[in-house]
Amino acid sequence: HGNTGADHRAAEIQDREVFGMNPKIQMEKVIAGSYHNTAGMVVRKKGDTVYEKYYNGYAEQNTVQIASVTKSIVSALMGIALEQGYIESVDQKVLEYFPDYEVTRGEKSMLEFAAGNLFTPLGIVVRDSITFNSKEEYLVFQESKDQSAWVADQEGFNMAGWGLTLSPVDMAKIGQLYLNDGMWDHRQIIPAKWVDESTREHSRCSQWKYYLC
Protein backbone atom coordinates (compact mmCIF):
# COMPACT_ATOMS: atom_id res chain seq x y z
CA HIS A 1 0.00 0.00 0.00
CA GLY A 2 2.98 2.31 0.43
CA ASN A 3 3.25 2.87 -3.32
CA THR A 4 -0.38 3.87 -3.82
CA GLY A 5 0.37 7.60 -4.04
CA ALA A 6 3.25 7.10 -6.47
CA ASP A 7 1.16 4.75 -8.61
CA HIS A 8 -1.69 7.27 -8.69
CA ARG A 9 0.64 10.07 -9.79
CA ALA A 10 2.14 7.84 -12.48
CA ALA A 11 -1.37 7.06 -13.76
CA GLU A 12 -2.22 10.78 -13.85
CA ILE A 13 0.96 11.50 -15.85
CA GLN A 14 0.10 8.70 -18.29
CA ASP A 15 -3.46 10.03 -18.70
CA ARG A 16 -2.13 13.53 -19.44
CA GLU A 17 0.24 12.08 -22.01
CA VAL A 18 -2.54 10.13 -23.72
CA PHE A 19 -5.15 12.89 -23.75
CA GLY A 20 -2.62 15.57 -24.62
CA MET A 21 -1.19 13.71 -27.58
CA ASN A 22 -1.99 13.99 -31.25
CA PRO A 23 -5.63 12.90 -31.85
CA LYS A 24 -4.48 10.39 -34.48
CA ILE A 25 -2.11 8.69 -32.04
CA GLN A 26 -4.79 8.78 -29.34
CA MET A 27 -7.33 7.12 -31.65
CA GLU A 28 -4.87 4.41 -32.63
CA LYS A 29 -4.19 3.68 -28.96
CA VAL A 30 -7.93 3.31 -28.32
CA ILE A 31 -8.31 0.97 -31.32
CA ALA A 32 -5.32 -1.12 -30.23
CA GLY A 33 -6.58 -1.29 -26.66
CA SER A 34 -10.32 -1.83 -27.06
CA TYR A 35 -11.23 -2.69 -30.66
CA HIS A 36 -9.06 -5.63 -31.65
CA ASN A 37 -11.38 -6.77 -34.48
CA THR A 38 -11.17 -3.49 -36.46
CA ALA A 39 -10.62 -4.02 -40.20
CA GLY A 40 -9.93 -0.41 -41.12
CA MET A 41 -10.53 3.22 -40.23
CA VAL A 42 -11.18 5.97 -42.77
CA VAL A 43 -11.85 9.57 -41.73
CA ARG A 44 -13.11 12.18 -44.17
CA LYS A 45 -13.25 15.93 -43.53
CA LYS A 46 -14.83 18.43 -45.92
CA GLY A 47 -14.87 15.84 -48.66
CA ASP A 48 -11.24 14.77 -48.34
CA THR A 49 -9.73 11.68 -46.74
CA VAL A 50 -7.60 12.88 -43.83
CA TYR A 51 -6.86 9.52 -42.22
CA GLU A 52 -6.77 5.94 -43.49
CA LYS A 53 -5.31 2.87 -41.79
CA TYR A 54 -5.98 -0.88 -41.88
CA TYR A 55 -5.62 -3.60 -39.28
CA ASN A 56 -5.61 -7.40 -38.89
CA GLY A 57 -4.27 -8.10 -42.35
CA TYR A 58 -6.82 -5.96 -44.17
CA ALA A 59 -5.91 -3.56 -46.98
CA GLU A 60 -7.72 -0.86 -48.96
CA GLN A 61 -9.23 -3.28 -51.47
CA ASN A 62 -10.63 -5.68 -48.84
CA THR A 63 -14.28 -5.72 -47.83
CA VAL A 64 -16.24 -6.77 -44.76
CA GLN A 65 -19.80 -8.00 -44.36
CA ILE A 66 -21.44 -4.89 -42.91
CA ALA A 67 -24.25 -6.75 -41.12
CA SER A 68 -27.13 -4.49 -40.06
CA VAL A 69 -25.55 -1.42 -41.66
CA THR A 70 -27.07 -3.01 -44.79
CA LYS A 71 -30.40 -1.64 -43.51
CA SER A 72 -29.06 1.92 -43.86
CA ILE A 73 -28.18 1.23 -47.50
CA VAL A 74 -31.70 -0.12 -48.08
CA SER A 75 -33.08 3.04 -46.43
CA ALA A 76 -31.11 5.16 -48.91
CA LEU A 77 -32.50 3.07 -51.77
CA MET A 78 -36.03 3.60 -50.41
CA GLY A 79 -35.53 7.37 -50.60
CA ILE A 80 -34.28 7.09 -54.18
CA ALA A 81 -37.18 4.78 -55.13
CA LEU A 82 -39.67 7.27 -53.66
CA GLU A 83 -38.11 10.12 -55.62
CA GLN A 84 -38.24 8.12 -58.85
CA GLY A 85 -41.85 7.06 -58.35
CA TYR A 86 -41.30 3.35 -57.76
CA ILE A 87 -42.96 3.75 -54.36
CA GLU A 88 -45.87 6.15 -53.85
CA SER A 89 -45.41 6.82 -50.15
CA VAL A 90 -43.83 5.43 -46.97
CA ASP A 91 -47.40 4.85 -45.77
CA GLN A 92 -48.18 2.51 -48.65
CA LYS A 93 -48.65 -1.09 -47.52
CA VAL A 94 -46.12 -3.63 -48.80
CA LEU A 95 -48.89 -6.12 -49.60
CA GLU A 96 -50.27 -3.71 -52.20
CA TYR A 97 -47.25 -4.61 -54.29
CA PHE A 98 -47.77 -8.37 -54.03
CA PRO A 99 -51.41 -9.32 -54.70
CA ASP A 100 -50.34 -12.24 -56.92
CA TYR A 101 -46.67 -11.59 -57.26
CA GLU A 102 -44.70 -13.13 -60.09
CA VAL A 103 -41.17 -12.19 -61.13
CA THR A 104 -41.34 -10.43 -64.49
CA ARG A 105 -38.73 -10.65 -67.22
CA GLY A 106 -36.17 -7.86 -66.98
CA GLU A 107 -37.09 -6.94 -63.41
CA LYS A 108 -34.17 -5.40 -61.53
CA SER A 109 -32.77 -6.89 -58.35
CA MET A 110 -32.02 -4.65 -55.39
CA LEU A 111 -28.30 -4.94 -56.21
CA GLU A 112 -28.92 -3.77 -59.79
CA PHE A 113 -31.02 -0.85 -58.57
CA ALA A 114 -28.35 0.05 -56.00
CA ALA A 115 -25.58 -0.17 -58.59
CA GLY A 116 -27.32 2.19 -60.99
CA ASN A 117 -28.60 4.71 -58.49
CA LEU A 118 -26.25 4.71 -55.51
CA PHE A 119 -23.06 2.68 -55.84
CA THR A 120 -21.81 3.65 -59.31
CA PRO A 121 -22.11 7.44 -58.77
CA LEU A 122 -19.96 7.04 -55.63
CA GLY A 123 -17.41 4.78 -57.31
CA ILE A 124 -18.50 1.78 -55.22
CA VAL A 125 -18.38 -1.66 -56.85
CA VAL A 126 -20.41 -4.64 -55.60
CA ARG A 127 -20.05 -7.30 -58.25
CA ASP A 128 -22.39 -10.19 -57.46
CA SER A 129 -25.40 -11.51 -55.65
CA ILE A 130 -24.35 -14.59 -53.68
CA THR A 131 -26.47 -17.48 -52.43
CA PHE A 132 -25.40 -20.08 -49.88
CA ASN A 133 -26.05 -23.78 -50.30
CA SER A 134 -24.45 -24.87 -47.05
CA LYS A 135 -23.28 -23.66 -43.66
CA GLU A 136 -19.71 -24.07 -44.87
CA GLU A 137 -20.28 -21.61 -47.75
CA TYR A 138 -21.73 -19.11 -45.28
CA LEU A 139 -18.72 -19.41 -42.97
CA VAL A 140 -16.29 -18.96 -45.86
CA PHE A 141 -18.17 -15.80 -46.86
CA GLN A 142 -18.08 -14.40 -43.32
CA GLU A 143 -14.33 -14.91 -43.03
CA SER A 144 -13.41 -13.67 -46.52
CA LYS A 145 -11.68 -10.35 -47.09
CA ASP A 146 -12.19 -10.36 -50.85
CA GLN A 147 -15.93 -10.81 -51.42
CA SER A 148 -17.67 -8.18 -53.50
CA ALA A 149 -21.24 -9.30 -53.08
CA TRP A 150 -24.71 -8.92 -51.59
CA VAL A 151 -26.26 -12.04 -50.09
CA ALA A 152 -29.50 -13.20 -51.76
CA ASP A 153 -32.03 -15.90 -50.96
CA GLN A 154 -32.60 -18.96 -53.11
CA GLU A 155 -34.92 -16.98 -55.40
CA GLY A 156 -32.33 -14.29 -55.98
CA PHE A 157 -33.76 -11.56 -53.73
CA ASN A 158 -31.05 -9.59 -51.93
CA MET A 159 -31.29 -9.53 -48.13
CA ALA A 160 -32.48 -6.19 -46.72
CA GLY A 161 -31.17 -6.71 -43.18
CA TRP A 162 -27.61 -7.95 -43.70
CA GLY A 163 -25.22 -9.50 -46.20
CA LEU A 164 -23.75 -6.55 -48.12
CA THR A 165 -19.95 -6.27 -48.34
CA LEU A 166 -18.24 -2.88 -48.50
CA SER A 167 -14.75 -1.56 -47.79
CA PRO A 168 -14.03 1.11 -45.15
CA VAL A 169 -13.51 3.61 -47.99
CA ASP A 170 -16.94 2.71 -49.42
CA MET A 171 -18.57 3.25 -46.03
CA ALA A 172 -16.81 6.58 -45.60
CA LYS A 173 -18.27 7.67 -48.94
CA ILE A 174 -21.78 6.74 -47.76
CA GLY A 175 -21.21 8.76 -44.60
CA GLN A 176 -19.96 11.74 -46.61
CA LEU A 177 -23.01 11.48 -48.87
CA TYR A 178 -25.30 11.86 -45.85
CA LEU A 179 -23.23 14.74 -44.46
CA ASN A 180 -23.72 16.41 -47.86
CA ASP A 181 -27.51 16.00 -47.61
CA GLY A 182 -27.50 13.35 -50.33
CA MET A 183 -25.33 15.32 -52.78
CA TRP A 184 -22.24 13.82 -54.45
CA ASP A 185 -20.08 15.52 -57.05
CA HIS A 186 -22.77 18.17 -57.71
CA ARG A 187 -25.43 15.49 -58.22
CA GLN A 188 -28.38 14.82 -55.91
CA ILE A 189 -28.12 11.06 -55.27
CA ILE A 190 -30.52 10.79 -52.33
CA PRO A 191 -33.27 13.41 -51.88
CA ALA A 192 -32.22 15.88 -49.16
CA LYS A 193 -35.68 15.60 -47.61
CA TRP A 194 -35.23 11.84 -47.25
CA VAL A 195 -31.80 12.25 -45.65
CA ASP A 196 -33.36 14.54 -43.05
CA GLU A 197 -36.42 12.36 -42.52
CA SER A 198 -34.57 9.05 -42.32
CA THR A 199 -31.93 10.25 -39.86
CA ARG A 200 -34.40 11.85 -37.45
CA GLU A 201 -35.62 9.94 -34.38
CA HIS A 202 -39.19 8.69 -34.93
CA SER A 203 -39.59 6.29 -32.02
CA ARG A 204 -37.68 4.90 -29.07
CA CYS A 205 -37.75 1.49 -27.39
CA SER A 206 -35.31 1.98 -24.52
CA GLN A 207 -37.41 -0.28 -22.31
CA TRP A 208 -36.08 -3.27 -24.28
CA LYS A 209 -32.63 -4.60 -24.94
CA TYR A 210 -30.93 -2.77 -27.82
CA TYR A 211 -30.96 -5.88 -30.02
CA LEU A 212 -34.77 -6.02 -29.86
CA CYS A 213 -35.20 -2.45 -31.05
Side-chain angles (χ1 to χ4, degrees):
H1 297 288
N3 292 329
T4 301
D7 292 342
H8 182 67
R9 284 192 297 275
E12 285 183 339
I13 292 171
Q14 185 176 13
D15 286 343
R16 285 198 298 271
E17 289 176 346
V18 169
F19 290 104
M21 67 176 56
N22 183 295
K24 172 181 145 183
I25 298 174
Q26 183 180 338
M27 179 176 66
E28 290 178 352
K29 279 185 172 291
V30 171
I31 291 172
S34 303
Y35 299 94
H36 302 291
N37 63 340
T38 299
M41 177 72 71
V42 178
V43 179
R44 292 175 65 94
K45 182 177 181 180
K46 297 181 179 179
D48 297 320
T49 299
V50 296
Y51 178 82
E52 183 173 357
K53 186 170 182 178
Y54 298 92
Y55 304 85
N56 295 310
Y58 282 83
E60 180 182 2
Q61 71 274 12
N62 295 138
T63 59
V64 293
Q65 196 273 105
I66 62 172
S68 285
V69 179
T70 301
K71 298 182 182 75
S72 297
I73 302 300
V74 173
S75 173
L77 297 177
M78 284 286 293
I80 294 170
L82 281 163
E83 180 73 10
Q84 295 185 6
Y86 290 101
I87 301 172
E88 293 180 10
S89 143
V90 292
D91 298 316
Q92 194 172 8
K93 292 180 172 59
V94 172
L95 288 178
E96 293 179 22
Y97 291 92
F98 307 99
D100 296 298
Y101 182 76
E102 293 182 7
V103 178
T104 57
R105 185 179 297 275
E107 187 174 55
K108 289 184 178 181
S109 68
M110 187 152 58
L111 175 54
E112 290 171 322
F113 184 79
N117 293 280
L118 179 61
F119 294 159
T120 298
L122 272 63
I124 294 173
V125 176
V126 181
R127 288 193 295 268
D128 305 305
S129 289
I130 185 170
T131 301
F132 305 128
N133 296 305
S134 67
K135 179 180 73 174
E136 288 72 24
E137 290 182 0
Y138 166 77
L139 292 174
V140 168
F141 171 79
Q142 288 291 84
E143 294 173 2
S144 174
K145 298 176 182 177
D146 300 311
Q147 292 282 357
S148 177
W150 195 334
V151 174
D153 63 19
Q154 295 297 325
E155 296 183 352
F157 296 105
N158 297 109
M159 299 295 182
W162 70 286
L164 176 63
T165 67
L166 294 176
S167 70
V169 170
D170 294 336
M171 296 184 74
K173 288 178 178 179
I174 297 292
Q176 186 70 62
L177 178 66
Y178 272 80
L179 285 175
N180 293 347
D181 295 323
M183 185 80 71
W184 187 269
D185 197 20
H186 308 292
R187 176 182 170 188
Q188 195 73 46
I189 305 299
I190 306 172
K193 182 180 179 182
W194 180 260
V195 171
D196 177 64
E197 185 73 13
S198 63
T199 55
R200 189 187 310 154
E201 181 179 310
H202 293 273
S203 62
R204 182 173 296 189
C205 53
S206 56
Q207 66 269 34
W208 299 316
K209 296 288 186 181
Y210 72 92
Y211 52 80
L212 296 177
C213 296

mmCIF file of all heavy atoms in Angstrom, residues 3 8 11 13 22 36 40 47 67 88 115 135 148 154 161 168 175 177 198 208:
data_model
loop_
_atom_site.group_PDB
_atom_site.id
_atom_site.type_symbol
_atom_site.label_atom_id
_atom_site.label_comp_id
_atom_site.label_asym_id
_atom_site.label_seq_id
_atom_site.Cartn_x
_atom_site.Cartn_y
_atom_site.Cartn_z
ATOM 1 N N ASN A 3 3.012 2.296 -2.004
ATOM 2 C CA ASN A 3 3.252 2.872 -3.317
ATOM 3 C C ASN A 3 2.000 3.440 -3.963
ATOM 4 O O ASN A 3 2.029 3.859 -5.116
ATOM 5 C CB ASN A 3 3.842 1.800 -4.254
ATOM 6 C CG ASN A 3 5.244 1.401 -3.840
ATOM 7 O OD1 ASN A 3 5.970 2.216 -3.299
ATOM 8 N ND2 ASN A 3 5.601 0.143 -4.084
ATOM 9 N N HIS A 8 -0.627 6.360 -8.272
ATOM 10 C CA HIS A 8 -1.689 7.269 -8.692
ATOM 11 C C HIS A 8 -1.118 8.421 -9.504
ATOM 12 O O HIS A 8 -1.670 8.804 -10.538
ATOM 13 C CB HIS A 8 -2.429 7.795 -7.458
ATOM 14 C CG HIS A 8 -3.565 8.708 -7.793
ATOM 15 N ND1 HIS A 8 -4.705 8.269 -8.437
ATOM 16 C CD2 HIS A 8 -3.722 10.048 -7.601
ATOM 17 C CE1 HIS A 8 -5.532 9.289 -8.601
ATOM 18 N NE2 HIS A 8 -4.960 10.380 -8.110
ATOM 19 N N ALA A 11 -0.184 7.230 -12.912
ATOM 20 C CA ALA A 11 -1.370 7.065 -13.761
ATOM 21 C C ALA A 11 -1.847 8.406 -14.282
ATOM 22 O O ALA A 11 -2.255 8.531 -15.443
ATOM 23 C CB ALA A 11 -2.479 6.372 -12.970
ATOM 24 N N ILE A 13 -0.006 11.072 -14.813
ATOM 25 C CA ILE A 13 0.958 11.501 -15.845
ATOM 26 C C ILE A 13 0.666 10.784 -17.162
ATOM 27 O O ILE A 13 0.655 11.385 -18.237
ATOM 28 C CB ILE A 13 2.400 11.240 -15.380
ATOM 29 C CG1 ILE A 13 2.738 12.167 -14.203
ATOM 30 C CG2 ILE A 13 3.372 11.459 -16.540
ATOM 31 C CD1 ILE A 13 4.062 11.835 -13.539
ATOM 32 N N ASN A 22 -1.350 13.830 -29.952
ATOM 33 C CA ASN A 22 -1.986 13.988 -31.253
ATOM 34 C C ASN A 22 -3.250 13.123 -31.324
ATOM 35 O O ASN A 22 -3.210 11.960 -30.943
ATOM 36 C CB ASN A 22 -0.975 13.551 -32.328
ATOM 37 C CG ASN A 22 -1.506 13.751 -33.717
ATOM 38 O OD1 ASN A 22 -2.473 13.123 -34.109
ATOM 39 N ND2 ASN A 22 -0.840 14.609 -34.487
ATOM 40 N N HIS A 36 -10.043 -4.755 -31.011
ATOM 41 C CA HIS A 36 -9.059 -5.632 -31.653
ATOM 42 C C HIS A 36 -9.542 -6.204 -32.980
ATOM 43 O O HIS A 36 -8.736 -6.715 -33.755
ATOM 44 C CB HIS A 36 -8.690 -6.778 -30.711
ATOM 45 C CG HIS A 36 -8.150 -6.320 -29.394
ATOM 46 N ND1 HIS A 36 -6.915 -5.714 -29.262
ATOM 47 C CD2 HIS A 36 -8.679 -6.344 -28.139
ATOM 48 C CE1 HIS A 36 -6.699 -5.410 -27.990
ATOM 49 N NE2 HIS A 36 -7.754 -5.771 -27.293
ATOM 50 N N GLY A 40 -10.520 -1.631 -40.579
ATOM 51 C CA GLY A 40 -9.929 -0.411 -41.115
ATOM 52 C C GLY A 40 -10.630 0.816 -40.582
ATOM 53 O O GLY A 40 -11.758 0.737 -40.091
ATOM 54 N N GLY A 47 -14.955 16.526 -47.379
ATOM 55 C CA GLY A 47 -14.873 15.839 -48.658
ATOM 56 C C GLY A 47 -13.550 15.172 -48.961
ATOM 57 O O GLY A 47 -13.424 14.465 -49.964
ATOM 58 N N ALA A 67 -23.170 -6.358 -42.027
ATOM 59 C CA ALA A 67 -24.249 -6.752 -41.117
ATOM 60 C C ALA A 67 -25.436 -5.786 -41.205
ATOM 61 O O ALA A 67 -25.893 -5.479 -42.298
ATOM 62 C CB ALA A 67 -23.699 -6.866 -39.696
ATOM 63 N N GLU A 88 -45.034 4.946 -53.947
ATOM 64 C CA GLU A 88 -45.874 6.145 -53.847
ATOM 65 C C GLU A 88 -45.643 6.903 -52.551
ATOM 66 O O GLU A 88 -45.584 8.130 -52.537
ATOM 67 C CB GLU A 88 -47.348 5.756 -53.963
ATOM 68 C CG GLU A 88 -47.747 5.222 -55.336
ATOM 69 C CD GLU A 88 -49.213 4.853 -55.401
ATOM 70 O OE1 GLU A 88 -49.955 5.185 -54.448
ATOM 71 O OE2 GLU A 88 -49.624 4.233 -56.399
ATOM 72 N N ALA A 115 -26.734 -0.466 -57.744
ATOM 73 C CA ALA A 115 -25.578 -0.174 -58.593
ATOM 74 C C ALA A 115 -25.840 1.038 -59.471
ATOM 75 O O ALA A 115 -24.996 1.931 -59.605
ATOM 76 C CB ALA A 115 -25.246 -1.397 -59.454
ATOM 77 N N LYS A 135 -23.844 -24.436 -44.764
ATOM 78 C CA LYS A 135 -23.282 -23.664 -43.656
ATOM 79 C C LYS A 135 -21.825 -23.340 -43.931
ATOM 80 O O LYS A 135 -21.347 -22.253 -43.586
ATOM 81 C CB LYS A 135 -23.410 -24.457 -42.355
ATOM 82 C CG LYS A 135 -22.827 -23.758 -41.137
ATOM 83 C CD LYS A 135 -22.991 -24.585 -39.884
ATOM 84 C CE LYS A 135 -22.063 -25.766 -39.873
ATOM 85 N NZ LYS A 135 -22.089 -26.525 -38.594
ATOM 86 N N SER A 148 -16.996 -9.391 -53.037
ATOM 87 C CA SER A 148 -17.671 -8.181 -53.502
ATOM 88 C C SER A 148 -19.075 -8.613 -53.874
ATOM 89 O O SER A 148 -19.354 -8.973 -55.021
ATOM 90 C CB SER A 148 -16.936 -7.588 -54.710
ATOM 91 O OG SER A 148 -17.628 -6.449 -55.198
ATOM 92 N N GLN A 154 -32.635 -17.976 -52.037
ATOM 93 C CA GLN A 154 -32.599 -18.965 -53.107
ATOM 94 C C GLN A 154 -33.339 -18.513 -54.359
ATOM 95 O O GLN A 154 -33.122 -19.053 -55.449
ATOM 96 C CB GLN A 154 -33.187 -20.292 -52.598
ATOM 97 C CG GLN A 154 -32.381 -20.948 -51.487
ATOM 98 C CD GLN A 154 -30.985 -21.353 -51.926
ATOM 99 O OE1 GLN A 154 -30.776 -21.752 -53.066
ATOM 100 N NE2 GLN A 154 -30.012 -21.255 -51.024
ATOM 101 N N GLY A 161 -31.638 -6.939 -44.545
ATOM 102 C CA GLY A 161 -31.173 -6.709 -43.184
ATOM 103 C C GLY A 161 -29.706 -6.980 -42.941
ATOM 104 O O GLY A 161 -29.172 -6.621 -41.891
ATOM 105 N N PRO A 168 -13.960 -0.104 -45.972
ATOM 106 C CA PRO A 168 -14.031 1.107 -45.148
ATOM 107 C C PRO A 168 -14.120 2.385 -45.980
ATOM 108 O O PRO A 168 -14.829 3.324 -45.602
ATOM 109 C CB PRO A 168 -12.722 1.047 -44.344
ATOM 110 C CG PRO A 168 -12.444 -0.412 -44.206
ATOM 111 C CD PRO A 168 -12.863 -0.996 -45.525
ATOM 112 N N GLY A 175 -21.106 7.768 -45.665
ATOM 113 C CA GLY A 175 -21.212 8.760 -44.595
ATOM 114 C C GLY A 175 -21.090 10.180 -45.118
ATOM 115 O O GLY A 175 -21.842 11.072 -44.720
ATOM 116 N N LEU A 177 -21.797 11.193 -48.103
ATOM 117 C CA LEU A 177 -23.009 11.476 -48.872
ATOM 118 C C LEU A 177 -24.110 12.008 -47.968
ATOM 119 O O LEU A 177 -24.805 12.975 -48.307
ATOM 120 C CB LEU A 177 -23.473 10.198 -49.582
ATOM 121 C CG LEU A 177 -24.755 10.282 -50.412
ATOM 122 C CD1 LEU A 177 -24.557 11.199 -51.619
ATOM 123 C CD2 LEU A 177 -25.192 8.891 -50.867
ATOM 124 N N SER A 198 -35.002 10.391 -42.699
ATOM 125 C CA SER A 198 -34.567 9.048 -42.319
ATOM 126 C C SER A 198 -33.501 9.046 -41.226
ATOM 127 O O SER A 198 -33.200 7.995 -40.660
ATOM 128 C CB SER A 198 -34.037 8.297 -43.548
ATOM 129 O OG SER A 198 -32.892 8.935 -44.072
ATOM 130 N N TRP A 208 -36.528 -1.944 -23.878
ATOM 131 C CA TRP A 208 -36.084 -3.273 -24.277
ATOM 132 C C TRP A 208 -34.568 -3.281 -24.467
ATOM 133 O O TRP A 208 -33.934 -2.247 -24.533
ATOM 134 C CB TRP A 208 -36.765 -3.707 -25.565
ATOM 135 C CG TRP A 208 -38.257 -3.797 -25.455
ATOM 136 C CD1 TRP A 208 -38.985 -4.355 -24.431
ATOM 137 C CD2 TRP A 208 -39.207 -3.272 -26.390
ATOM 138 N NE1 TRP A 208 -40.314 -4.231 -24.678
ATOM 139 C CE2 TRP A 208 -40.507 -3.579 -25.856
ATOM 140 C CE3 TRP A 208 -39.120 -2.607 -27.607
ATOM 141 C CZ2 TRP A 208 -41.658 -3.234 -26.528
ATOM 142 C CZ3 TRP A 208 -40.282 -2.262 -28.253
ATOM 143 C CH2 TRP A 208 -41.539 -2.573 -27.719
#
